[in-house]
């Protein structure tokens, strides 16, 4: 991938898909701003990049706080002069049946997954507009496209991210800024395991039983690794993919077909 001279801003970079994408983009030559609420873990991500010969800065940010997001963007531009690509990846999961979902649980999911994604995307877009070029990549989910019992609030939040992506593509195209969403299926991360623990418990199943059941719905018969998604993010940061715009791209090993 041709990411030399690119500056990539990545949220949710303390672990999982976000960390994998940060390491991979840096390996292709990008300068990376890694952002997460977990200060210690995101600093470790930056350290690993720098230890491998790359360039990275770490920022502690709550994506629901616009001032913190703006401060991290300003820090990135002060350090690297611009932001070329955003990987808008921070997210959480809290599983329950919709009729049992409390207002607090619903707000927790929507605030981070939908509102947080909105705040980050729009603030980074403002920094991209003067340069008349940019790429906004957001993590949606297969859950935005396929309903899931005991995971309703998460489904709603990720559907919002997919629609936000379409509107951003429509509105920002005039500035040569494109927007695309990735819809991962079952990726082997801590977040997925947390989800399976919660959903399995809600349905009276052990986490191992739930894993086996979910793997049986994937045409390829396995979970994906975070690095596989990270490579795809790197491809989407490459200018050669820039005409992919406004899409929500399924990355799920054929799960919808299974």
């Amino acid at each position: 991938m041709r990411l030399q001279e690119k500056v990539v801003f990545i949220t949710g970079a303390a672990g999982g898909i976000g960390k994998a994408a940060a390491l991979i983009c840096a390996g292709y030559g990008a300068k990376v701003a890694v952002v997460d609420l977990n200060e210690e873990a995101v600093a470790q991500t930056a350290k690993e990049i720098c230890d491998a010969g790359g360039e990275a800065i770490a920022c502690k940010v709550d994506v629901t706080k616009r001032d913190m997001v703006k401060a991290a963007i300003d820090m990135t531009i002060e350090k690297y002069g611009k932001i070329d690509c955003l990987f808008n990846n921070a997210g959480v999961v809290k599983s329950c049946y919709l009729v049992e979902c409390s207002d607090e649980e619903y707000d927790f999911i929507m605030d981070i997954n939908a509102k947080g994604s909105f705040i980050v995307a729009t603030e980074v877009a403002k920094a991209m507009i003067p340069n008349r070029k940019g790429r906004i990549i957001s993590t949606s989910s297969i859950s935005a496209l396929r309903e899931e019992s005991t995971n309703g609030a998460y489904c709603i939040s990720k559907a919002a991210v997919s629609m936000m992506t379409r509107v951003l593509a429509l509105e920002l195209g005039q500035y040569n800024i494109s927007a695309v969403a990735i819809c991962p299926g079952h990726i082997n991360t801590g977040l997925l395991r947390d989800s399976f623990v919660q959903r399995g418990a809600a349905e009276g199943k052990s986490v191992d039983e739930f894993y086996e059941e979910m793997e049986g719905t994937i045409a390829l018969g396995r979970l994906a690794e975070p690095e596989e998604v990270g490579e795809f993010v790197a491809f989407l940061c490459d200018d050669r993919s820039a005409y992919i715009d406004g899409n929500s791209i399924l990355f799920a090993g054929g799960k919808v077909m299974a």
Side-chain angles (χ1 to χ4, degrees), residues 55-223:
E55 292 190 57
I57 57 171
C59 308
K60 179 183 178 181
V61 174
D62 179 343
V63 295
T64 70
K65 308 298 184 187
R66 192 175 293 270
D67 287 348
M68 293 184 76
V69 172
K70 291 171 71 173
I73 292 168
D74 289 345
M75 184 185 304
T76 303
I77 294 172
E78 182 178 351
K79 176 73 173 178
Y80 297 128
K82 60 177 180 172
I83 297 174
D84 296 293
C85 304
L86 163 64
F87 183 33
N88 193 17
N89 172 68
V92 294
V93 63
K94 181 97 174 148
S95 300
C96 59
Y97 289 106
L98 272 181
V99 295
E100 297 173 357
C101 185
S102 69
D103 291 346
E104 291 76 18
E105 289 171 323
Y106 182 84
D107 288 344
F108 172 70
I109 293 168
M110 295 299 293
D111 280 351
I112 296 173
N113 294 359
K115 183 181 178 182
S117 294
F118 161 73
I119 289 172
V120 174
T122 53
E123 289 300 329
V124 172
K126 291 172 189 176
M128 291 175 169
I129 285 171
N131 299 327
R132 301 193 69 83
K133 186 174 184 181
R135 179 65 137 171
I136 296 171
I137 306 159
S138 296
T139 300
S140 180
S141 173
I142 191 174
S143 306
L145 309 173
R146 175 175 174 151
E147 66 282 357
E148 294 178 342
S149 177
T150 71
N151 212 27
Y154 183 81
C155 293
I156 294 166
S157 71
K158 290 302 187 177
V161 172
S162 288
M163 180 53 72
M164 177 190 73
T165 296
R166 293 170 63 181
V167 176
L168 287 172
L170 181 64
E171 294 182 348
L172 298 176
Q174 61 183 312
Y175 304 109
N176 195 32
I177 299 169
S178 58
V180 65
I182 302 173
C183 295
H186 299 320
I187 315 300
N188 189 20
T189 64
L191 188 70
L192 181 79
R193 182 172 180 84
D194 289 346
S195 172
F196 282 6
V197 168
Q198 294 171 33
R199 294 176 63 192
E203 297 184 18
K205 302 169 185 172
S206 72
V207 65
D208 290 337
E209 289 172 330
F210 205 80
Y211 264 103
E212 184 176 355
E213 180 179 318
M214 290 299 103
E215 286 180 338
T217 69
I218 302 169
L220 291 181
R222 66 173 180 86
L223 306 182

